[in-house]
């Protein structure tokens, strides 16, 4: 077995682990993996990713279902809407350059990451319980369209939607998102197959490796605190979004973005881990010692 193939399969296990643990992020890793490591062009990587992530999501859905971490009715309503969007997005992708798809992919990742890191506002869960399932239809259509266009199973959008809009706990959003991802991916891939060929022997090997990782990740979900899981997912998506933008933007814009992102991350770590530096951090408000005390 060639060293490059071994590396691709090993990283595919990591992709599956992420998908099983977080209910998303599989495509966020899989598309760059297939593009930058396996050497596929963007459209072939997107189509292959949809198959791998769809089958892997279906495999990791089973242990989540046994643990009762799947909300079937909201998931199926969401999936019904998003599958239509995914199929249309897959058809439309043939007319859009691969680089444009990758940049759009990264921008949506950054927006999603911001919402997951910030989390839900207080009271959103109780408010969400009174919402009609009809609200899932427009959101599902948009998520599905993105799924079909950029080859993402949609977990990086579905999980925030279920957490922030539907008020589900993180572990329930993770399990439910896997149901939606598996259906979305199948619909999106059907649209892509009209214009893109797939290397099936390699795809099946990658899928098998990803399934192994996903089953491990599904077992770890209940052992990780919800807040850490949500924030970790958000920071992961943020990092991958910056990476993809740095790769796809023309030089030197990509390099400047990468350097700025690393510098911002370093400043953030220093400001949060070293209290003495909090006073000079631009986003931290230091209380005015002369201000009157609150009642």
């Amino acid at each position: 077995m060639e060293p490059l193939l071994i590396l691709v399969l090993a990283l595919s296990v990591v992709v599956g682990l992420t998908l099983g643990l977080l209910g998303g992020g599989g495509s966020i890793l899989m598309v760059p993996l297939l593009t930058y490591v396996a050497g596929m062009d963007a459209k072939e990587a997107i189509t292959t990713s949809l198959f791998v992530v769809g089958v892997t999501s279906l495999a990791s859905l089973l242990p989540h279902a046994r643990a009762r971490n799947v909300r079937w009715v909201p998931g199926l309503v969401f999936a019904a809407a998003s599958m239509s969007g995914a199929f249309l997005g897959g058809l439309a992708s043939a007319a859009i350059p691969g680089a444009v798809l990758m940049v759009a992919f990264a921008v949506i990742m950054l927006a999603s990451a911001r919402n997951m890191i910030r989390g839900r506002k207080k009271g959103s869960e109780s408010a969400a319980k009174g919402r009609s399932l009809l609200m899932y239809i427009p959101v599902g259509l948009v998520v599905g369209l993105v799924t079909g266009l950029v080859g993402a199973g949609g977990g990086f959008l579905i999980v925030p939607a279920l957490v922030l809009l539907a008020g589900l706990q993180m572990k329930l959003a993770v399990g439910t998102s896997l149901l939606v991802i598996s259906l979305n991916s199948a619909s999106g891939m059907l649209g892509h197959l009209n214009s893109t060929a797939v290397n099936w022997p390699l795809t099946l090997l990658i899928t098998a490796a990803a399934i192994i990782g996903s089953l491990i990740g599904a077992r770890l979900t209940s052992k990780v605190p919800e807040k850490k899981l949500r924030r970790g997912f958000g920071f992961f998506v943020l990092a991958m979004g910056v990476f993809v933008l740095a790769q796809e933007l023309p030089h030197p814009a990509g390099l400047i973005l990468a350097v700025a992102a690393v510098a911002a991350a370093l400043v953030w770590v220093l400001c949060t881990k070293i209290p003495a530096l909090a006073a000079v951090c631009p986003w931290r408000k230091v209380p005015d010692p002369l201000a009157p005390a609150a009642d």
Side-chain angles (χ1 to χ4, degrees):
M1 188 176 290
E2 297 181 2
L4 181 60
L5 178 57
I6 295 174
L7 175 61
V8 169
L9 294 179
L11 292 176
S12 297
V13 174
V14 176
V15 172
L17 180 67
T18 304
L19 189 60
L21 180 62
L22 300 176
S27 300
I28 294 172
L29 274 176
M30 184 57 71
V31 173
L33 165 62
L34 296 175
T35 303
Y36 305 124
V37 181
M40 296 182 184
D41 65 66
K43 293 187 178 182
E44 183 184 1
I46 286 171
T47 307
T48 303
S49 172
L50 285 168
F51 178 84
V52 175
V53 172
V55 175
T56 304
S57 298
L58 188 60
S60 55
L61 173 65
L62 300 178
H64 280 280
R66 285 198 296 269
R68 299 189 178 183
N69 288 338
V70 180
R71 291 295 178 261
W72 295 98
V73 174
L76 290 173
V77 171
F78 199 110
S82 60
M83 285 175 70
S84 301
F87 182 73
L88 294 175
L91 291 176
S93 68
I96 302 175
V100 174
L101 291 175
M102 294 298 286
V103 170
F105 183 40
V107 171
I108 294 170
M109 288 164 65
L110 296 179
S112 175
R114 175 180 176 273
N115 290 334
M116 291 302 292
I117 292 170
R118 291 182 61 186
R120 291 175 291 180
K121 294 181 180 179
K122 292 182 179 180
S124 64
E125 184 168 353
S126 60
K129 291 180 180 178
R131 294 173 184 166
S132 169
L133 287 175
L134 293 177
M135 68 166 287
Y136 289 87
I137 296 176
V139 177
L141 283 171
V142 173
V143 171
L145 186 64
V146 173
T147 295
L149 281 173
V150 302
F156 70 100
L157 291 175
I158 296 166
V159 172
L162 293 175
V163 171
L164 303 172
L165 299 180
L168 294 184
Q169 295 180 3
M170 184 65 184
K171 65 179 181 179
L172 298 179
V174 167
T176 305
S177 74
L178 291 168
L179 169 65
V180 182
I181 291 169
S182 59
L183 296 173
N184 268 3
S185 298
S187 183
M189 191 185 72
L190 289 176
H192 277 274
L193 285 176
N194 287 329
S195 58
T196 307
V198 174
N199 181 344
W200 287 110
L202 177 60
T203 298
L204 293 175
L205 281 175
I206 292 172
T207 302
I211 288 175
I212 293 172
S214 73
L215 295 176
I216 298 172
R219 288 181 171 272
L220 296 176
T221 303
S222 60
K223 300 180 180 180
V224 181
E226 178 181 349
K227 183 177 180 180
K228 290 184 178 180
L229 192 62
R230 173 178 53 77
R231 287 176 60 85
F233 180 87
F235 283 116
F236 165 73
V237 174
L238 178 64
M240 290 305 302
V242 171
F243 172 77
V244 173
L245 276 180
Q247 292 289 324
E248 297 298 332
L249 290 177
H251 185 78
L255 178 61
I256 293 172
L257 174 67
V259 172
V262 172
L266 180 61
V267 170
W268 182 83
V269 170
L270 292 175
C271 287
T272 53
K273 300 301 181 182
I274 304 178
L277 295 178
V280 298
C281 291
W283 61 82
R284 285 179 174 262
K285 290 184 65 177
V286 180
D288 186 351
L290 301 179
D295 293 336

